[in-house]
Coordinates of all heavy atoms in Angstrom, one line a residue:
M1 N 63.0 38.2 99.8 CA 61.6 38.7 99.5 C 61.3 38.2 98.1 O 62.1 38.4 97.2 CB 61.6 40.2 99.6 CG 60.4 40.8 99.2 SD 60.4 42.7 99.2 CE 61.1 43.0 100.8
S2 N 60.2 37.7 97.9 CA 59.8 37.2 96.5 C 58.6 38.1 96.0 O 57.9 38.6 96.8 CB 59.4 35.8 96.6 OG 58.3 35.6 97.4
S3 N 58.5 38.1 94.7 CA 57.4 38.8 94.0 C 57.2 38.2 92.7 O 58.1 37.5 92.1 CB 57.7 40.3 94.0 OG 58.8 40.6 93.1
F4 N 56.1 38.5 92.1 CA 55.8 38.1 90.7 C 55.5 39.3 89.9 O 54.6 40.1 90.2 CB 54.5 37.2 90.8 CG 54.8 35.9 91.6 CD1 54.5 35.9 93.0 CD2 55.3 34.8 91.0 CE1 54.7 34.8 93.7 CE2 55.6 33.7 91.8 CZ 55.3 33.6 93.1
R5 N 56.3 39.5 88.9 CA 56.2 40.6 88.0 C 56.1 40.2 86.5 O 56.9 39.4 86.1 CB 57.4 41.6 88.1 CG 57.4 42.4 89.4 CD 58.5 43.3 89.3 NE 59.5 42.9 90.3 CZ 60.8 43.3 90.3 NH1 61.2 44.2 89.5 NH2 61.6 42.9 91.2
G6 N 55.2 40.7 85.8 CA 55.1 40.4 84.4 C 55.0 38.9 84.1 O 55.6 38.4 83.1
G7 N 54.4 38.1 85.0 CA 54.3 36.7 84.8 C 55.5 35.9 85.2 O 55.6 34.7 85.1
G8 N 56.6 36.6 85.6 CA 57.8 36.0 86.0 C 58.0 36.0 87.5 O 57.2 36.7 88.2
C9 N 58.9 35.3 88.0 CA 59.2 35.2 89.5 C 60.4 36.0 89.8 O 61.4 35.9 89.0 CB 59.3 33.8 89.9 SG 57.9 32.7 89.5
S10 N 60.4 36.7 90.9 CA 61.6 37.5 91.2 C 61.9 37.4 92.7 O 61.0 37.4 93.6 CB 61.3 39.0 90.9 OG 62.3 39.8 91.2
L11 N 63.2 37.4 93.1 CA 63.6 37.4 94.4 C 64.5 38.7 94.5 O 65.2 39.1 93.6 CB 64.6 36.3 94.8 CG 64.0 34.9 94.7 CD1 65.1 33.9 94.9 CD2 63.0 34.7 95.9
R12 N 64.4 39.4 95.7 CA 65.2 40.6 95.9 C 66.1 40.3 97.1 O 65.6 40.0 98.2 CB 64.3 41.8 96.2 CG 65.1 43.0 96.4 CD 64.2 44.3 96.3 NE 65.0 45.4 96.4 CZ 65.0 46.3 97.4 NH1 64.2 46.2 98.4 NH2 65.8 47.4 97.3
V13 N 67.4 40.3 96.9 CA 68.3 40.1 98.0 C 68.7 41.4 98.6 O 69.2 42.3 97.9 CB 69.6 39.3 97.4 CG1 70.6 39.0 98.5 CG2 69.2 38.1 96.7
V14 N 68.6 41.5 99.9 CA 68.9 42.7 100.7 C 69.9 42.3 101.8 O 69.8 41.4 102.5 CB 67.6 43.2 101.4 CG1 68.0 44.5 102.2 CG2 66.6 43.6 100.3
G15 N 71.0 43.1 101.8 CA 72.0 42.9 102.9 C 73.2 42.1 102.4 O 73.7 42.2 101.3
K16 N 73.5 41.1 103.3 CA 74.7 40.3 103.1 C 74.4 38.8 103.0 O 73.5 38.3 103.6 CB 75.7 40.5 104.3 CG 76.1 42.0 104.5 CD 76.9 42.1 105.7 CE 77.2 43.6 105.9 NZ 77.9 43.9 107.2
V17 N 75.1 38.2 102.1 CA 75.1 36.7 102.0 C 76.5 36.2 102.2 O 77.4 36.4 101.4 CB 74.6 36.3 100.6 CG1 74.6 34.7 100.5 CG2 73.2 36.8 100.2
G18 N 76.7 35.6 103.4 CA 78.0 35.2 103.8 C 77.8 33.8 104.5 O 76.8 33.2 104.4
H19 N 78.9 33.3 105.1 CA 78.9 32.0 105.7 C 77.7 31.8 106.7 O 77.3 30.6 106.9 CB 80.2 31.7 106.3 CG 80.5 32.4 107.6 ND1 81.0 33.7 107.6 CD2 80.4 32.0 108.9 CE1 81.1 34.1 108.9 NE2 80.8 33.1 109.7
R20 N 77.2 32.8 107.3 CA 76.1 32.6 108.3 C 74.8 32.6 107.6 O 73.8 32.1 108.2 CB 76.2 33.8 109.3 CG 77.4 33.7 110.2 CD 77.3 34.8 111.3 NE 78.5 34.6 112.1 CZ 79.0 35.6 112.9 NH1 78.4 36.8 112.9 NH2 80.0 35.4 113.6
T21 N 74.7 33.1 106.4 CA 73.4 33.2 105.8 C 73.2 32.4 104.5 O 72.2 32.4 103.9 CB 73.0 34.7 105.5 OG1 74.1 35.3 104.6 CG2 72.9 35.5 106.7
T22 N 74.3 31.8 104.1 CA 74.3 31.1 102.8 C 73.3 29.9 102.8 O 72.6 29.7 101.8 CB 75.7 30.5 102.4 OG1 76.5 31.7 102.3 CG2 75.6 29.8 101.1
D23 N 73.1 29.2 103.9 CA 72.2 28.1 103.9 C 70.7 28.6 103.7 O 70.0 28.0 103.0 CB 72.3 27.3 105.2 CG 73.5 26.5 105.3 OD1 74.2 26.2 104.3 OD2 73.9 26.1 106.5
A24 N 70.4 29.7 104.4 CA 69.1 30.3 104.2 C 68.9 30.8 102.8 O 67.8 30.6 102.2 CB 68.9 31.5 105.2
F25 N 69.9 31.4 102.2 CA 69.9 31.9 100.8 C 69.6 30.7 99.9 O 68.8 30.7 99.0 CB 71.2 32.6 100.5 CG 71.2 33.2 99.1 CD1 70.3 34.1 98.6 CD2 72.3 32.9 98.3 CE1 70.3 34.6 97.3 CE2 72.4 33.4 97.0 CZ 71.4 34.3 96.5
A26 N 70.4 29.6 100.1 CA 70.2 28.4 99.3 C 68.8 27.8 99.4 O 68.2 27.4 98.4 CB 71.3 27.4 99.6
D27 N 68.2 27.9 100.6 CA 66.9 27.4 100.8 C 65.9 28.2 100.0 O 64.9 27.7 99.5 CB 66.5 27.4 102.3 CG 67.2 26.4 103.1 OD1 67.8 25.4 102.5 OD2 67.3 26.5 104.4
V28 N 66.0 29.5 100.0 CA 65.1 30.4 99.3 C 65.3 30.1 97.8 O 64.2 30.0 97.1 CB 65.4 31.9 99.6 CG1 64.7 32.8 98.6 CG2 65.1 32.2 101.0
L29 N 66.5 29.9 97.3 CA 66.7 29.6 95.9 C 66.0 28.2 95.6 O 65.4 28.1 94.5 CB 68.2 29.5 95.6 CG 68.9 30.9 95.5 CD1 70.4 30.7 95.4 CD2 68.4 31.8 94.4
E30 N 66.1 27.3 96.5 CA 65.5 26.0 96.3 C 64.0 26.1 96.2 O 63.4 25.5 95.3 CB 65.8 25.1 97.5 CG 65.3 23.7 97.4 CD 65.9 22.8 96.3 OE1 67.0 23.1 95.9 OE2 65.2 21.9 95.9
T31 N 63.4 27.0 97.0 CA 62.0 27.2 96.9 C 61.6 27.8 95.6 O 60.6 27.4 94.9 CB 61.5 28.1 98.0 OG1 61.8 27.5 99.3 CG2 60.0 28.5 97.9
A32 N 62.4 28.8 95.1 CA 62.2 29.4 93.8 C 62.3 28.5 92.6 O 61.6 28.7 91.6 CB 63.2 30.6 93.7
L33 N 63.1 27.4 92.8 CA 63.2 26.5 91.7 C 61.8 25.8 91.3 O 61.6 25.4 90.2 CB 64.2 25.4 92.0 CG 65.6 25.8 92.1 CD1 66.5 24.6 92.5 CD2 66.1 26.4 90.8
A34 N 60.9 25.8 92.3 CA 59.6 25.2 92.1 C 58.7 26.1 91.4 O 57.6 25.7 90.9 CB 59.0 24.8 93.4
W35 N 59.0 27.4 91.3 CA 58.2 28.4 90.6 C 58.2 28.1 89.1 O 59.3 27.6 88.6 CB 58.6 29.8 90.8 CG 58.6 30.2 92.2 CD1 57.9 29.7 93.2 CD2 59.2 31.4 92.8 NE1 58.0 30.4 94.4 CE2 58.9 31.5 94.1 CE3 60.1 32.4 92.3 CZ2 59.3 32.5 95.0 CZ3 60.5 33.4 93.1 CH2 60.2 33.4 94.4
P36 N 57.2 28.4 88.3 CA 57.2 28.2 86.9 C 58.1 29.3 86.2 O 58.2 30.4 86.7 CB 55.7 28.4 86.5 CG 55.2 29.3 87.5 CD 55.9 29.0 88.8
G37 N 58.6 28.9 85.1 CA 59.4 29.9 84.2 C 60.7 30.3 84.8 O 61.3 29.7 85.7
D38 N 61.2 31.4 84.2 CA 62.5 31.9 84.6 C 62.4 32.6 86.0 O 61.3 33.0 86.4 CB 63.0 32.9 83.6 CG 63.5 32.3 82.3 OD1 63.5 31.1 82.2 OD2 63.8 33.1 81.4
I39 N 63.6 32.6 86.7 CA 63.6 33.3 88.0 C 64.6 34.5 87.9 O 65.7 34.3 87.3 CB 64.1 32.3 89.0 CG1 63.2 31.0 89.1 CG2 64.3 32.9 90.4 CD1 63.9 29.8 89.8
Q40 N 64.2 35.6 88.4 CA 65.0 36.8 88.5 C 65.4 37.0 89.9 O 64.6 37.0 90.9 CB 64.3 38.0 88.0 CG 65.1 39.2 88.1 CD 64.4 40.4 87.5 OE1 63.9 40.3 86.3 NE2 64.4 41.5 88.2
V41 N 66.7 37.2 90.1 CA 67.3 37.5 91.5 C 67.9 38.9 91.4 O 68.9 39.1 90.8 CB 68.4 36.5 91.9 CG1 68.9 36.8 93.3 CG2 67.8 35.1 91.8
D42 N 67.2 39.9 92.0 CA 67.6 41.3 92.0 C 68.6 41.5 93.1 O 68.3 41.4 94.3 CB 66.3 42.1 92.2 CG 66.6 43.6 92.2 OD1 67.8 44.0 92.3 OD2 65.7 44.4 92.1
M43 N 69.8 41.9 92.7 CA 70.9 42.1 93.7 C 71.2 43.6 93.9 O 72.2 43.9 94.5 CB 72.2 41.4 93.2 CG 72.0 39.9 93.0 SD 72.0 39.2 94.6 CE 72.7 37.6 94.3
Q44 N 70.3 44.5 93.6 CA 70.5 45.9 93.7 C 70.8 46.3 95.2 O 71.7 47.1 95.4 CB 69.4 46.7 93.2 CG 69.6 48.2 93.2 CD 68.5 49.0 92.5 OE1 67.4 48.4 92.3 NE2 68.8 50.2 92.2
A45 N 70.2 45.7 96.1 CA 70.3 46.0 97.5 C 71.3 45.1 98.2 O 71.5 45.1 99.5 CB 69.0 46.0 98.2
L46 N 72.1 44.3 97.5 CA 73.1 43.4 98.1 C 74.3 44.3 98.5 O 74.8 45.1 97.8 CB 73.6 42.4 97.0 CG 74.6 41.4 97.5 CD1 74.1 40.4 98.4 CD2 75.3 40.8 96.2
E47 N 74.7 44.0 99.8 CA 75.9 44.7 100.3 C 77.1 43.9 100.2 O 78.2 44.4 100.0 CB 75.6 45.0 101.8 CG 74.5 46.0 102.1 CD 74.2 46.1 103.5 OE1 75.1 45.8 104.4 OE2 73.1 46.6 103.9
F48 N 77.0 42.5 100.3 CA 78.1 41.6 100.2 C 77.7 40.2 99.9 O 76.6 39.8 100.4 CB 78.8 41.6 101.6 CG 79.9 40.6 101.8 CD1 81.2 40.8 101.3 CD2 79.6 39.4 102.4 CE1 82.2 39.9 101.4 CE2 80.6 38.4 102.5 CZ 81.9 38.7 102.0
I49 N 78.5 39.5 99.1 CA 78.2 38.1 98.9 C 79.6 37.4 98.8 O 80.5 37.9 98.2 CB 77.4 37.8 97.6 CG1 77.0 36.4 97.5 CG2 78.1 38.3 96.4 CD1 75.9 36.1 96.5
D50 N 79.7 36.3 99.6 CA 81.0 35.6 99.5 C 80.9 34.4 98.5 O 79.8 34.2 97.8 CB 81.4 35.1 100.9 CG 80.5 34.0 101.5 OD1 79.6 33.5 100.8 OD2 80.7 33.7 102.7
L51 N 81.9 33.7 98.4 CA 82.0 32.6 97.4 C 80.9 31.6 97.6 O 80.4 31.0 96.6 CB 83.4 32.0 97.3 CG 83.6 31.0 96.2 CD1 83.4 31.6 94.9 CD2 85.0 30.4 96.3
S52 N 80.6 31.3 98.8 CA 79.6 30.3 99.1 C 78.2 30.7 98.6 O 77.4 29.9 98.1 CB 79.5 29.9 100.6 OG 79.1 31.0 101.3
G53 N 77.9 32.0 98.7 CA 76.7 32.6 98.1 C 76.6 32.5 96.6 O 75.6 32.2 96.0
V54 N 77.8 32.8 96.0 CA 77.8 32.7 94.5 C 77.7 31.3 94.1 O 77.0 31.0 93.1 CB 79.2 33.3 94.0 CG1 79.3 33.2 92.5 CG2 79.2 34.8 94.4
R55 N 78.3 30.4 94.8 CA 78.1 29.0 94.5 C 76.7 28.5 94.6 O 76.2 27.7 93.8 CB 79.0 28.1 95.5 CG 80.2 27.5 94.9 CD 80.8 26.5 95.8 NE 82.2 26.8 95.8 CZ 83.0 27.1 96.8 NH1 82.5 27.1 98.0 NH2 84.2 27.4 96.7
A56 N 76.0 29.0 95.6 CA 74.5 28.7 95.8 C 73.7 29.1 94.5 O 72.9 28.4 94.0 CB 74.0 29.4 97.0
L57 N 74.1 30.3 94.0 CA 73.4 30.7 92.7 C 73.7 29.8 91.6 O 72.8 29.4 90.8 CB 73.9 32.2 92.4 CG 73.4 33.3 93.2 CD1 74.1 34.6 92.9 CD2 71.9 33.5 92.9
A58 N 75.0 29.4 91.4 CA 75.4 28.5 90.3 C 74.7 27.2 90.5 O 74.3 26.6 89.5 CB 76.9 28.4 90.3
R59 N 74.7 26.7 91.7 CA 74.1 25.3 91.9 C 72.6 25.4 91.6 O 72.0 24.4 91.0 CB 74.3 24.9 93.3 CG 75.7 24.4 93.6 CD 75.8 23.9 95.0 NE 77.2 23.6 95.3 CZ 77.9 23.8 96.4 NH1 77.3 24.5 97.4 NH2 79.1 23.5 96.5
A60 N 71.9 26.5 92.0 CA 70.5 26.6 91.7 C 70.3 26.6 90.2 O 69.4 26.0 89.6 CB 69.9 27.8 92.4
A61 N 71.1 27.4 89.5 CA 70.9 27.5 88.0 C 71.2 26.2 87.4 O 70.5 25.8 86.4 CB 71.9 28.6 87.5
A62 N 72.1 25.4 87.8 CA 72.5 24.1 87.3 C 71.3 23.1 87.4 O 71.2 22.2 86.6 CB 73.7 23.6 87.9
R63 N 70.4 23.3 88.4 CA 69.3 22.4 88.6 C 68.1 22.8 87.8 O 67.1 22.0 87.7 CB 69.0 22.4 90.1 CG 70.1 21.9 90.9 CD 69.8 21.6 92.3 NE 68.6 20.7 92.4 CZ 67.6 20.9 93.2 NH1 67.5 21.9 94.0 NH2 66.6 20.0 93.2
L64 N 68.1 23.9 87.1 CA 67.0 24.3 86.2 C 66.9 23.4 85.0 O 67.9 23.0 84.5 CB 67.1 25.7 85.8 CG 66.8 26.8 86.9 CD1 67.2 28.2 86.5 CD2 65.4 26.7 87.4
E65 N 65.7 23.2 84.5 CA 65.5 22.5 83.2 C 66.1 23.4 82.1 O 66.3 24.6 82.2 CB 64.0 22.3 82.9 CG 63.3 21.5 83.9 CD 62.8 22.2 85.1 OE1 62.7 23.5 85.1 OE2 62.5 21.6 86.2
D66 N 66.4 22.7 81.0 CA 67.1 23.4 79.9 C 66.5 24.6 79.3 O 67.2 25.5 78.8 CB 67.3 22.4 78.7 CG 68.3 21.3 79.0 OD1 69.1 21.5 79.9 OD2 68.2 20.2 78.4
D67 N 65.2 24.8 79.4 CA 64.5 25.9 78.9 C 64.3 27.1 79.9 O 63.7 28.1 79.6 CB 63.1 25.5 78.3 CG 62.2 24.9 79.3 OD1 62.7 24.4 80.4 OD2 61.0 24.9 79.1
R68 N 64.8 26.9 81.1 CA 64.6 27.9 82.1 C 66.0 28.6 82.5 O 67.0 28.0 82.3 CB 64.1 27.3 83.4 CG 62.7 26.8 83.2 CD 62.1 26.1 84.5 NE 61.9 27.1 85.5 CZ 61.9 26.9 86.8 NH1 62.1 25.6 87.2 NH2 61.7 27.8 87.7
R69 N 65.9 29.9 83.0 CA 67.1 30.6 83.3 C 67.0 31.2 84.7 O 65.9 31.6 85.1 CB 67.3 31.8 82.3 CG 67.5 31.3 80.8 CD 68.8 30.7 80.6 NE 68.9 30.2 79.3 CZ 68.7 28.9 78.9 NH1 68.2 28.0 79.7 NH2 68.8 28.5 77.6
L70 N 68.1 31.4 85.3 CA 68.2 32.1 86.6 C 68.9 33.4 86.2 O 70.1 33.4 85.9 CB 69.0 31.4 87.6 CG 69.2 32.0 89.0 CD1 67.8 32.1 89.7 CD2 70.2 31.3 89.8
H71 N 68.2 34.5 86.2 CA 68.7 35.9 85.8 C 69.1 36.6 87.1 O 68.2 37.0 87.9 CB 67.6 36.7 85.1 CG 67.2 36.1 83.8 ND1 67.8 36.3 82.6 CD2 66.2 35.2 83.5 CE1 67.3 35.6 81.7 NE2 66.2 34.9 82.2
V72 N 70.4 36.8 87.3 CA 70.9 37.6 88.4 C 71.1 39.0 87.9 O 72.0 39.2 87.0 CB 72.2 37.0 89.0 CG1 72.8 37.8 90.1 CG2 72.0 35.5 89.4
V73 N 70.3 39.9 88.4 CA 70.4 41.3 87.8 C 70.9 42.3 88.9 O 70.7 42.1 90.1 CB 69.0 41.7 87.2 CG1 68.6 40.8 86.1 CG2 67.9 41.8 88.3
E74 N 71.4 43.4 88.4 CA 71.8 44.5 89.2 C 73.0 44.1 90.1 O 73.1 44.6 91.3 CB 70.7 45.1 90.0 CG 69.6 45.7 89.2 CD 70.0 47.0 88.5 OE1 70.9 47.7 89.0 OE2 69.5 47.2 87.4
L75 N 73.8 43.2 89.7 CA 75.0 42.7 90.4 C 76.1 43.7 90.2 O 76.3 44.2 89.1 CB 75.4 41.3 90.0 CG 76.4 40.6 90.9 CD1 75.9 40.4 92.3 CD2 76.7 39.2 90.3
A76 N 77.0 43.9 91.2 CA 78.1 44.8 91.1 C 79.0 44.3 89.9 O 79.2 43.1 89.8 CB 78.9 44.8 92.4
P77 N 79.5 45.2 89.1 CA 80.3 44.8 87.9 C 81.5 43.9 88.3 O 81.7 42.9 87.5 CB 80.7 46.1 87.3 CG 79.7 47.1 87.8 CD 79.3 46.6 89.1
L78 N 82.1 44.2 89.3 CA 83.3 43.4 89.7 C 82.9 41.9 90.0 O 83.6 41.0 89.6 CB 84.0 44.0 90.9 CG 85.3 43.3 91.4 CD1 86.3 43.2 90.2 CD2 85.9 44.0 92.6
L79 N 81.7 41.8 90.7 CA 81.2 40.4 90.9 C 80.9 39.7 89.7 O 81.1 38.5 89.6 CB 80.0 40.5 91.9 CG 80.4 40.7 93.4 CD1 79.1 40.9 94.2 CD2 81.1 39.5 93.9
C80 N 80.3 40.4 88.7 CA 80.0 39.8 87.4 C 81.3 39.2 86.8 O 81.3 38.1 86.2 CB 79.4 40.8 86.5 SG 77.7 41.3 86.9
Q81 N 82.4 40.0 86.9 CA 83.7 39.6 86.3 C 84.2 38.3 87.0 O 84.7 37.4 86.4 CB 84.7 40.7 86.4 CG 84.4 41.8 85.5 CD 85.4 43.0 85.7 OE1 86.2 43.0 86.5 NE2 85.2 44.0 84.8
V82 N 84.1 38.3 88.4 CA 84.5 37.2 89.1 C 83.7 35.9 88.7 O 84.3 34.9 88.5 CB 84.4 37.4 90.7 CG1 84.6 36.2 91.5 CG2 85.3 38.5 91.1
I83 N 82.4 36.0 88.6 CA 81.6 34.9 88.2 C 82.0 34.4 86.9 O 82.1 33.2 86.7 CB 80.1 35.3 88.2 CG1 79.6 35.5 89.7 CG2 79.2 34.3 87.5 CD1 78.2 36.0 89.8
S84 N 82.3 35.3 86.0 CA 82.8 34.9 84.6 C 84.1 34.2 84.7 O 84.4 33.2 84.0 CB 82.8 36.1 83.7 OG 83.2 35.7 82.4
M85 N 85.1 34.8 85.4 CA 86.4 34.3 85.5 C 86.4 32.9 86.1 O 87.2 32.0 85.7 CB 87.3 35.2 86.3 CG 87.7 36.4 85.6 SD 89.0 37.4 86.4 CE 88.7 37.3 88.1
V86 N 85.6 32.7 87.1 CA 85.6 31.4 87.8 C 84.8 30.3 87.0 O 85.0 29.1 87.2 CB 84.9 31.5 89.2 CG1 84.7 30.2 89.9 CG2 85.8 32.5 90.1
G87 N 84.0 30.8 86.1 CA 83.2 29.9 85.2 C 81.9 29.5 85.7 O 81.3 28.6 85.2
F88 N 81.4 30.2 86.8 CA 80.1 29.9 87.3 C 79.0 30.2 86.3 O 77.8 29.7 86.5 CB 79.8 30.6 88.6 CG 80.5 30.0 89.8 CD1 80.9 30.8 90.8 CD2 80.8 28.7 89.9 CE1 81.6 30.3 91.9 CE2 81.4 28.1 91.0 CZ 81.8 28.9 92.0
D89 N 79.2 31.0 85.3 CA 78.2 31.3 84.3 C 78.2 30.4 83.1 O 77.5 30.6 82.2 CB 78.3 32.8 83.9 CG 79.6 33.1 83.2 OD1 80.6 32.3 83.3 OD2 79.7 34.2 82.6
E90 N 79.1 29.4 83.2 CA 79.2 28.4 82.1 C 77.9 27.7 81.8 O 77.5 27.5 80.7 CB 80.3 27.4 82.4 CG 81.7 28.0 82.2 CD 82.0 28.6 80.9 OE1 81.6 28.0 79.8 OE2 82.5 29.7 80.8
P91 N 77.2 27.3 82.9 CA 75.9 26.7 82.5 C 75.0 27.9 81.9 O 74.9 28.9 82.5 CB 75.3 26.2 83.8 CG 76.2 26.5 84.9 CD 77.4 27.2 84.3
S92 N 74.5 27.7 80.8 CA 73.7 28.8 80.1 C 72.5 29.2 81.0 O 71.9 30.2 80.7 CB 73.3 28.4 78.7 OG 72.4 27.2 78.8
A93 N 72.1 28.4 82.0 CA 71.0 28.7 82.8 C 71.2 29.9 83.7 O 70.3 30.5 84.3 CB 70.6 27.5 83.6
L94 N 72.5 30.3 84.0 CA 72.8 31.4 84.8 C 73.2 32.6 84.0 O 74.2 32.6 83.3 CB 74.0 31.1 85.8 CG 74.4 32.2 86.8 CD1 73.3 32.5 87.7 CD2 75.6 31.7 87.6
V95 N 72.4 33.6 84.1 CA 72.5 34.8 83.3 C 72.8 36.0 84.2 O 71.9 36.3 85.1 CB 71.3 35.1 82.4 CG1 71.5 36.4 81.6 CG2 71.0 33.9 81.5
V96 N 73.9 36.6 84.1 CA 74.3 37.7 85.1 C 74.4 39.0 84.4 O 75.0 39.2 83.3 CB 75.7 37.4 85.7 CG1 76.1 38.4 86.7 CG2 75.6 36.0 86.4
T97 N 73.7 40.0 85.0 CA 73.7 41.4 84.4 C 74.2 42.4 85.5 O 73.7 42.4 86.6 CB 72.3 41.8 84.0 OG1 71.7 40.8 83.1 CG2 72.2 43.1 83.3
A98 N 75.1 43.2 85.1 CA 75.8 44.1 86.1 C 74.9 45.4 86.3 O 74.1 45.8 85.4 CB 77.1 44.6 85.5
Q99 N 75.1 46.0 87.4 CA 74.5 47.3 87.7 C 75.1 48.3 86.8 O 76.3 48.2 86.4 CB 74.8 47.7 89.1 CG 74.1 47.0 90.2 CD 74.6 47.5 91.6 OE1 75.6 48.1 91.8 NE2 73.8 47.3 92.6
E100 N 74.3 49.3 86.4 CA 74.9 50.4 85.6 C 75.7 51.3 86.5 O 75.2 51.7 87.6 CB 73.8 51.1 84.9 CG 73.2 50.4 83.8 CD 72.2 51.2 82.9 OE1 72.5 52.4 82.8 OE2 71.3 50.7 82.4
V101 N 76.9 51.6 86.1 CA 77.7 52.5 86.9 C 77.4 53.9 86.5 O 77.6 54.2 85.3 CB 79.2 52.1 86.8 CG1 80.1 53.1 87.6 CG2 79.4 50.7 87.1
P102 N 77.1 54.8 87.4 CA 76.8 56.2 87.0 C 78.0 56.8 86.5 O 79.1 56.6 87.0 CB 76.4 56.9 88.3 CG 76.3 55.8 89.4 CD 76.9 54.6 88.8
A103 N 77.8 57.6 85.5 CA 79.0 58.3 84.8 C 79.5 59.5 85.6 O 78.9 60.0 86.5 CB 78.6 58.8 83.5

């Protein structure tokens, strides 16, 4: 689902991104690359994402121009750590922000 907030573009991922849905996810990201400015991908309603889905995010970010960013927000903290350990956040275009864990 896409929306435009505060002049920026946003996608909201709901459910699971796995081997059966990664191609569709990559297609949506491809469409979002044509939008102006930074892109926000809200992962608050994400239930599961496999490595192919994370790779799709990294590939989309790598295709952005130098002045644009792909902001992945509300991602599970453990997934943020995995992305960092694997180095998918090495391109500065991919910015990952973890969900706040309730105290």
Side-chain angles (χ1 to χ4, degrees):
M1 172 184 316
S2 61
S3 65
F4 298 91
R5 286 187 251 167
C9 303
S10 179
L11 296 171
R12 183 167 187 245
V13 180
V14 177
K16 300 174 185 175
V17 178
H19 71 280
R20 292 183 179 158
T21 58
T22 298
D23 289 342
F25 182 56
D27 289 346
V28 169
L29 291 170
E30 181 69 25
T31 298
L33 292 178
W35 297 345
D38 289 355
I39 302 163
Q40 178 175 310
V41 182
D42 182 346
M43 297 289 207
Q44 186 174 15
L46 179 73
E47 295 173 21
F48 171 83
I49 188 168
D50 68 7
L51 187 56
S52 63
V54 175
R55 252 190 227 124
L57 286 168
R59 286 183 183 138
R63 295 192 55 228
L64 289 170
E65 296 86 18
D66 289 339
D67 62 337
R68 295 179 65 203
R69 302 287 177 265
L70 181 68
H71 298 271
V72 179
V73 299
E74 297 292 330
L75 189 61
L78 183 58
L79 282 171
C80 290
Q81 291 175 357
V82 169
I83 288 172
S84 181
M85 285 187 328
V86 175
F88 283 149
D89 61 345
E90 288 301 315
S92 61
L94 181 61
V95 180
V96 181
T97 306
Q99 288 177 339
E100 288 191 29
V101 179

